[in-house]
């Protein structure tokens, strides 16, 4: 759910650590940004980040992306194949931008489930959508992407926008998503990725690590959370690695489309 990319010195290491749960002598560890933490601690730390940023999340999204995040989300909707009557899971749906658009398209016979592991984000989303008059065909569920509390073959479409990189076990999440999709259903993963040009990556690094945390401090009174968000992007799988992970989870006809020079990528896969 937000924006950034890191020291080019860690590019190779990051790609090897992306799905990382590393067995040590005593504990399983994983990454929290560039920090190595116990696996069970990551969920708590990520929760603290989003509890902190929830109230200013939409404002910061507009500032950080200069409003471009709205175009990325529109592109996701356009590629979803959504129709009237569909059942949709907006996973890690945060403040509900995708849910609001899906709700209008699926209509009274359809349903959108806005799910997020973070209660603060979920409450901000619920209040925002109610203020917009988006009611009736939207449900709110606090859920962990790694073990979704839905029956097999429930949803026509699952989206996860700017949330997968914060999941501890991404492979488990992809498998869980595959299980709850109907045959013929599709997954769309909108996430920060790796710029395709070196010059863009260098500019993006300067922005992410010099400007973004300062912006977070001024607007949200929280520089550390936005430093983490920048680091978390560098630790996320690149485009081809994520495509392979989706295929390993069972998805077919997988593809991705780079947006804004690869700063963001939309991955798509089908369950047949």
């Amino acid at each position: 759910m937000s924006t950034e990319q890191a020291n080019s010195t860690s590019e190779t290491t990051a790609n090897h650590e992306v799905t990382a749960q590393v067995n040590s002598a005593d504990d399983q560890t994983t990454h929290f940004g560039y920090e190595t933490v116990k696996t069970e601690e990551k969920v708590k730390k990520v929760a603290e980040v989003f509890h902190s940023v929830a109230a200013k999340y939409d404002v910061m999204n507009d500032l950080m992306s200069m409003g471009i995040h709205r175009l990325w989300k529109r592109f996701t909707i356009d590629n979803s194949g959504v129709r009237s009557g569909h059942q949709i899971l907006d996973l890690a749906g945060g403040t509900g931008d995708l849910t609001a658009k899906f709700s209008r398209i699926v209509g009274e016979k359809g349903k959108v489930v806005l799910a997020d592991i973070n209660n603060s984000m979920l409450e901000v989303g619920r209040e925002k959508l109610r203020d917009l008059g988006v009611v009736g065909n939207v449900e709110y569920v606090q859920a962990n992407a790694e073990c979704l509390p839905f029956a097999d073959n429930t949803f026509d479409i699952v989206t996860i926008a700017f949330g997968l990189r914060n999941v501890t076990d991404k492979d488990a999440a992809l498998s869980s998503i595959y299980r709850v999709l109907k045959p013929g259903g599709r997954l769309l993963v909108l996430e920060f990725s790796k710029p395709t040009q070196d010059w863009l990556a260098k500019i993006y690094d300067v922005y992410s690590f010099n400007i973004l945390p300062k912006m977070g401090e001024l607007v949200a009174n929280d520089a550390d959370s936005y430093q983490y968000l920048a680091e978390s992007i560098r630790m996320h799988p690149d485009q081809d690695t994520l495509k392979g992970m989706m295929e390993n989870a069972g998805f077919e006809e997988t593809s991705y489309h780079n947006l804004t020079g690869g700063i963001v990528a939309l991955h798509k896969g089908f369950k047949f």
Side-chain angles (χ1 to χ4, degrees), residues 79-234:
N79 279 268
S80 69
V82 59
R83 298 193 303 272
S84 176
H86 269 171
Q87 306 290 305
I88 297 176
L89 174 60
D90 183 11
L91 186 56
T95 58
D97 284 349
L98 290 178
T99 292
K101 293 179 173 63
F102 278 133
S103 172
R104 296 185 179 99
I105 298 171
V106 301
E108 294 180 359
K109 295 182 180 180
K111 181 175 70 175
V112 185
V113 176
L114 171 54
D116 202 292
I117 195 172
N118 188 278
N119 187 61
S120 294
M121 294 292 290
L122 204 59
E123 287 304 311
V124 170
R126 187 198 307 267
E127 182 177 344
K128 171 183 167 182
L129 294 187
R130 285 178 175 173
D131 287 346
L132 292 172
V134 180
V135 296
N137 64 354
V138 175
E139 295 181 4
Y140 301 87
V141 177
Q142 188 169 358
N144 186 334
E146 298 174 20
C147 47
L148 292 170
F150 308 108
D152 295 359
N153 307 319
T154 297
F155 298 101
D156 298 286
I157 299 165
V158 177
T159 59
I160 180 166
F162 306 114
L164 185 60
R165 75 179 186 280
N166 297 306
V167 175
T168 302
D169 189 339
K170 297 173 181 61
D171 292 313
L174 291 170
S175 294
S176 188
I177 291 168
Y178 185 86
R179 178 184 63 79
V180 303
L181 270 172
K182 295 177 181 178
R186 72 183 73 187
L187 165 66
L188 296 108
V189 181
L190 181 66
E191 188 55 88
F192 293 104
S193 199
K194 300 294 185 286
T196 56
Q197 301 293 326
D198 288 342
W199 65 267
L200 180 58
K202 291 175 182 177
I203 293 172
Y204 191 39
D205 281 350
V206 171
Y207 169 75
S208 297
F209 290 93
N210 293 278
I211 298 174
L212 182 61
K214 293 177 182 177
M215 191 184 300
E217 183 175 12
L218 289 171
V219 177
N221 196 30
D222 187 350
D224 290 344
S225 290
Y226 287 93
Q227 178 74 23
Y228 158 73
L229 292 174
E231 293 175 3
S232 71
I233 289 169
R234 295 350 187 261

Side-chain angles (χ1 to χ4, degrees), residues 19-35:
T19 53
Q21 288 184 342
V22 182
N23 287 321
S24 67
D26 302 312
D27 303 286
Q28 281 196 320
T29 60
T30 187
H31 57 79
F32 174 75
Y34 290 159
E35 181 184 358

Side-chain angles (χ1 to χ4, degrees), residues 13-76:
T13 302
N15 285 339
H16 288 301
E17 292 181 354
V18 292
T19 53
Q21 288 184 342
V22 182
N23 287 321
S24 67
D26 302 312
D27 303 286
Q28 281 196 320
T29 60
T30 187
H31 57 79
F32 174 75
Y34 290 159
E35 181 184 358
T36 298
V37 299
K38 292 181 179 179
T39 299
E40 63 269 20
E41 291 179 0
K42 179 171 180 175
V43 172
K44 180 181 178 181
K45 286 179 172 289
V46 171
E48 290 170 351
V49 167
F50 286 98
H51 285 313
S52 175
V53 305
K56 297 288 187 180
Y57 187 74
D58 284 341
V59 172
M60 283 296 294
N61 273 353
D62 281 331
L63 290 173
M64 289 186 299
S65 71
M66 294 173 285
I68 298 173
H69 75 98
R70 299 178 185 274
L71 299 179
W72 298 331
K73 291 169 182 173
R74 183 72 257 178
F75 185 78
T76 302

